[in-house]
Amino acid sequence: MSLVFERNHYFYGKLLTSRDFKEEQTYFNQKRYLLNRLIHGHGIVWGLNVQEAQDVGNHVLEVGSGVALDEIGREIVVDDAERVDLRRLHAYPSEAEESKLLYLVLQYEECPREPMPVLVNAPSCKEDCEPNRIREGYKFALTDIAPKAPVGIGRGHRHEATTLLHTDQLDLARIVPKWVQADDVFEVVLRLTVNETIAAAESVHVEVTEILPDACTMLFQDALVFTLTDVPAGTAFEQSYVVRAGNEPGVATIEGQTAVQAAAGNAAAASPASSVTVIAEEAVYEHIAEQHFADQSEGGWLAPERSVVYLAELKLGDNRSITEISPHVREYVYSNPLLAELIGSGDDAGGKLLRHRLSHMAGGSDQLDVSDLPGVLAQPQKVTVLDGGGAAIEATAIRFVGDGVAVAHDGQAAVVTITGVGGGLIPDERPPVVTGFVNFKDVKPAEFRSSKEIALPIKQPCAIQLAIEYASPTSETLIGFIGDLADRDARLSAVYDLNRYSFQILLQDPRPKEGDVKCSYRVRYWIIPPTEIKQNADKEGELSFQDYVLSRLILFGGLTIEQLSIDPLLRDKVKVDDLKVLMEKLSNDNVVKHVDGDMYVAV
C-alpha cells in the first residue's frame, strides 16, 4: 500500500464534480490519520471502561463513553455508555465463535444516512439513491486473536541475549540491557529452555556463577540453580539477579561459569561475557531517541488494512456467560498534560526508589533516598541501625524503651524525646558530617554552572566545605581519581536557602573563553552540622556553639564578632560579650587568629 498526497487546484471557471469534493475530504482525512498514528500512536485516549452490567444476567457488558485512536489513525468516539450483549456479537475468525477466551474490540465503522435520489444520465432509465450524510460510528466485536505485544519507544532492541549453554537438550541464555544510566538499577535474567523432554527418571542440574565488575553492586539474586526432572519440551525457566551500575560511564562486563550435572556426565566451562554500557544521565534521552529511529522498519509508517482497539480480555462460560474481565490488554494514548506530569515525576523520583521486589526479596535491604518523594511506601523499608560500638542491626522499625521516652507526631515526622538527654534542636554529641558529590558535565571554558538543591541534614545552618575530586576534558584522560583531590583552579562556592534549609553549589570554569574543549568536574562537598557545647551548664551562653562559629569562619574565610552576632543561629542565643570570650579562648588555643582589625580567621 502506498500513500501519495494530491490536492485540488482551484482556478476561476473550473468545473467541480463529486470526485473533486470527495478527494478534498480524503486529502485532509488521510493527512490527519497520518499524524495521529505517527505522533500520538493508537489506543484508548479517554474512558471506554468495561464492566459487567448489573441486573441483566451475566452475559452483558457495559462499556463507558470515551475516545480511541485505531492503528490507521481514525478517531473513534463512543458518545454514550452502551450495554453490549455478548451473545449477539460477531466473533472472528469463524472458529472463535465457540472459544472460551475472547477479546472485546472496538472498530471504526461508517454509517450512511439520509438516502436521496441520484440524478443520472437520462438514457439509463435508472433510479438510484445515495446517502446524504456519512456518520462516523463504531461497532463492537469479539476475537480470539491476541493483541500484539506493546513495544515502547526505543525498547525494540534494548536488551541483548548471550548464549551460555547450547545442547540438543537445553539452551541457557543471559539477557541484559544494552545500556543503563549511571548509578541505576537493572535486572539480569537467566532463561533456560528445555528443547527435549526430560523424563521423570532423569535429572539435570544446571548451576550458574556470575562475576560482576568491581564498579557494580549485587543488590539481590535468586539461587542461580536449575534442577530439572520430568519436564516437557518447550518449557522455559527464569532466574534473575539485580545489579546497581557504577556511578561512572563506561562498559560493565559480566562473566561467570556454567556447570551441568547430568546422567551423560558433568561439565563446567567459563560463560561468555555480556556487556552493559553505562551512560551518563544526560545521554538517556539521546539513546532512547536513537534506538527509536533505529527500530523503524521500511514502510512501517503506512496504515494497516484493518485495525481494532482492544478493550478487555474475557473469560467466558456456557452461552458466553462472563466469568472474568481483565483490562491488561488495553493500550493508551497519553495526552500532553499526562506526559508532562509523568516526566516531572520521573525527574523528582528518578534513581531514588527501587521497585519493591528489587530491594526486598530474600530479606535484602538497600539504601533508599526518599527525600521529596510524594506518597508513602506500600510496605515497611529496612534500615540498618548502628550502636555506639559499630554493631549493625537490620530492622523495619525502631523502638525506644526506657524511662522518659515520649513520641509525638509533627506532620509526617515522629518526634522522639528522651528526658534528661541533651536538649535543643540538636544533641550534645557531635552530629555526623555528611558528604556527597555533584557532577558537572561538559562545562565550556569560563562557563558558570549551579547544581540542584541539596538538602541540609538538619534544619539549621551548617558549614559547607567544597573541593574538586577530579576534572576531565571530554577528549582527554582523567586528571585525578575518586578520593584523590585534583589541584584545579575552578571557582567553587555554596549558596544557602535558609527558608528551605538547602544549598546549591556554584562552579565557574577558570579557563579563558577562547577555548572550545569541554570539561567535566566532580565536586565533593562536606556538610558540617553545628554542635552546641556548653562547658559550664551554670553559666548559660558561655563558650556555646564553638564548632558552629568555627564552621562560619572556615566558610567565609574570616568574620568579625559583629558579623557573627547577627548570624541567624547565633543572634538570639549568644551575646556579643560571650562571643568575645569564646574568640579570646580560641585565639589562646591557636585555633583562630586575629587579623586586620576585628577580623578573625580559622587557623
Side-chain angles (χ1 to χ4, degrees):
M1 176 183 176
S2 62
L3 184 62
V4 178
F5 288 103
E6 184 177 273
R7 67 178 186 273
N8 273 311
H9 173 62
Y10 297 104
F11 54 89
Y12 184 79
K14 177 177 179 176
L15 175 64
L16 296 174
T17 65
S18 61
R19 169 177 171 265
D20 297 300
F21 291 107
K22 287 179 180 178
E23 289 184 350
E24 186 81 359
Q25 289 186 340
T26 300
Y27 175 82
F28 288 105
N29 282 339
Q30 292 298 329
K31 274 290 183 71
R32 192 177 73 253
Y33 297 160
L34 177 69
L35 294 178
N36 280 344
R37 66 175 177 267
L38 296 185
I39 295 179
H40 302 300
H42 62 276
I44 297 167
V45 180
W46 189 281
L48 298 175
N49 297 308
V50 179
Q51 60 184 0
E52 188 173 347
Q54 302 298 317
D55 306 324
V56 289
N58 63 347
H59 50 264
V60 178
L61 293 172
E62 184 170 298
V63 181
S65 62
V67 180
L69 293 175
D70 67 9
E71 289 183 88
I72 296 174
R74 298 172 299 193
E75 305 90 349
I76 306 176
V77 179
V78 178
D79 60 334
D80 201 1
E82 184 172 335
R83 289 192 168 184
V84 180
D85 190 334
L86 297 180
R87 298 170 298 180
R88 299 179 180 178
L89 286 185
H90 165 68
Y92 70 91
S94 57
E95 53 268 23
E97 289 287 349
E98 303 301 324
S99 177
K100 300 299 183 183
L101 178 64
L102 293 172
Y103 302 95
L104 177 68
V105 296
L106 181 68
Q107 293 177 285
Y108 176 87
E109 185 177 54
E110 293 186 344
C111 306
R113 298 180 67 246
E114 300 180 14
M116 297 183 65
V118 178
L119 180 62
V120 297
N121 294 330
S124 68
C125 298
K126 177 183 177 183
E127 293 184 2
D128 203 353
C129 289
E130 287 285 345
N132 187 40
R133 293 283 189 273
I134 299 292
R135 171 175 288 179
E136 296 181 347
Y138 59 90
K139 68 177 180 180
F140 297 101
L142 298 171
T143 182
D144 65 352
I145 302 174
K148 293 179 291 186
V151 177
I153 297 297
R155 293 183 183 174
H157 303 91
R158 198 178 290 184
H159 289 77
E160 190 169 54
T162 302
T163 299
L164 306 186
L165 174 68
H166 174 68
T167 67
D168 293 339
Q169 194 174 41
L170 301 172
D171 275 322
L172 176 64
R174 180 197 296 123
I175 303 171
V176 300
K178 285 187 175 180
W179 53 266
V180 296
Q181 182 178 317
D183 205 34
D184 205 355
V185 172
F186 64 93
E187 187 173 28
V188 179
V189 176
L190 298 176
R191 179 178 296 158
L192 185 144
T193 304
V194 178
N195 300 325
E196 295 180 353
T197 299
I198 299 175
E202 186 181 358
S203 178
V204 178
H205 183 84
V206 180
E207 184 172 350
V208 181
T209 302
E210 295 285 74
I211 302 174
L212 300 180
D214 294 339
C216 294
T217 305
M218 180 79 73
L219 300 182
F220 158 78
Q221 72 173 25
D222 294 326
L224 303 180
V225 175
F226 302 88
T227 301
L228 310 174
T229 301
D230 191 17
V231 181
T235 306
F237 301 91
E238 288 188 355
Q239 302 284 10
S240 65
Y241 58 93
V242 179
V243 179
R244 185 186 294 282
N247 53 24
E248 289 301 317
V251 177
T253 302
I254 302 174
E255 301 174 314
Q257 186 180 54
T258 304
V260 181
Q261 298 177 11
N266 301 336
S271 303
S274 299
S275 296
V276 180
T277 301
V278 181
I279 61 176
E281 180 179 0
E282 294 82 356
V284 170
Y285 297 113
E286 181 180 342
H287 272 70
I288 293 176
E290 288 178 354
Q291 193 67 60
H292 168 61
F293 290 109
D295 291 345
Q296 292 174 345
S297 59
E298 180 66 28
W301 58 277
L302 295 171
E305 293 184 2
R306 183 174 185 177
S307 175
V308 298
V309 177
Y310 284 80
L311 300 182
E313 180 187 82
L314 307 174
K315 293 183 179 179
L316 306 176
D318 296 336
N319 199 25
R320 289 189 178 171
S321 58
I322 302 166
T323 61
E324 185 180 336
I325 303 172
S326 174
H328 77 274
V329 296
R330 295 163 68 94
E331 287 193 74
Y332 295 94
V333 175
Y334 288 3
S335 65
N336 286 336
L338 175 58
L339 286 173
E341 184 175 346
L342 292 174
I343 293 172
S345 299
D347 290 342
D348 294 338
K352 291 186 176 181
L353 284 178
L354 308 179
R355 291 180 301 168
H356 176 77
R357 71 180 295 271
L358 300 188
S359 56
H360 288 272
M361 294 181 70
S365 63
D366 187 49
Q367 179 178 342
L368 300 175
D369 179 6
V370 297
S371 59
D372 301 324
L373 287 179
V376 296
L377 299 174
Q379 296 191 21
Q381 304 296 298
K382 289 192 176 184
V383 296
T384 300
V385 184
L386 302 177
D387 65 13
I393 299 174
E394 287 190 350
T396 57
I398 302 174
R399 178 182 299 159
F400 293 87
V401 296
D403 297 334
V405 177
V407 180
H409 288 284
D410 181 13
Q412 294 294 319
V415 180
V416 180
T417 302
I418 304 177
T419 304
V421 180
L425 296 177
I426 53 178
D428 283 349
E429 293 184 1
R430 186 182 303 275
V433 174
V434 178
T435 186
F437 62 84
V438 174
N439 288 322
F440 294 90
K441 301 289 187 180
D442 298 330
V443 181
K444 299 176 182 178
E447 184 180 2
F448 181 87
R449 289 278 191 92
S450 62
S451 71
K452 295 181 179 179
E453 285 191 50
I454 303 170
L456 297 175
I458 59 174
K459 290 189 175 182
Q460 293 190 35
C462 300
I464 309 297
Q465 291 287 84
L466 304 173
I468 297 290
E469 274 200 336
Y470 69 72
S472 65
T474 302
S475 59
E476 300 177 14
T477 308
L478 291 179
I479 300 175
F481 299 92
I482 297 176
D484 300 324
L485 301 184
D487 184 13
R488 304 289 289 187
D489 295 326
R491 298 176 181 87
L492 299 174
S493 58
V495 177
Y496 281 106
D497 184 343
L498 292 181
N499 293 321
R500 298 166 61 90
Y501 293 102
S502 64
F503 71 97
Q504 290 178 280
I505 297 174
L506 306 183
L507 177 143
Q508 185 176 11
D509 188 276
R511 297 169 296 164
K513 290 185 178 180
E514 290 73 21
D516 58 358
V517 176
K518 296 180 180 179
C519 190
S520 296
Y521 294 92
R522 168 175 285 185
V523 178
R524 172 70 63 177
Y525 62 83
W526 293 267
I527 305 174
I528 308 171
T531 300
E532 183 175 3
I533 300 176
K534 294 184 178 180
Q535 296 186 353
N536 186 346
D538 296 330
K539 192 171 183 179
E540 184 177 359
E542 184 178 46
L543 300 180
S544 298
F545 297 96
Q546 175 176 306
D547 285 4
Y548 181 74
V549 169
L550 286 173
S551 71
R552 299 294 88 188
L553 297 180
I554 293 171
L555 178 64
F556 293 105
L559 293 169
T560 66
I561 290 179
E562 286 72 20
Q563 290 171 329
L564 287 169
S565 67
I566 61 173
D567 183 278
L569 186 62
L570 299 176
R571 61 189 176 196
D572 297 326
K573 295 181 179 290
V574 182
K575 299 177 182 178
V576 173
D577 291 339
D578 293 330
L579 282 172
K580 291 180 179 179
V581 173
L582 174 61
M583 301 309 293
E584 182 178 351
K585 176 184 180 300
L586 295 177
S587 296
N588 294 334
D589 293 340
N590 292 321
V591 177
V592 303
K593 64 180 179 179
H594 198 184
V595 297
D596 298 334
D598 294 329
M599 181 73 69
Y600 287 88
V601 297
V603 176

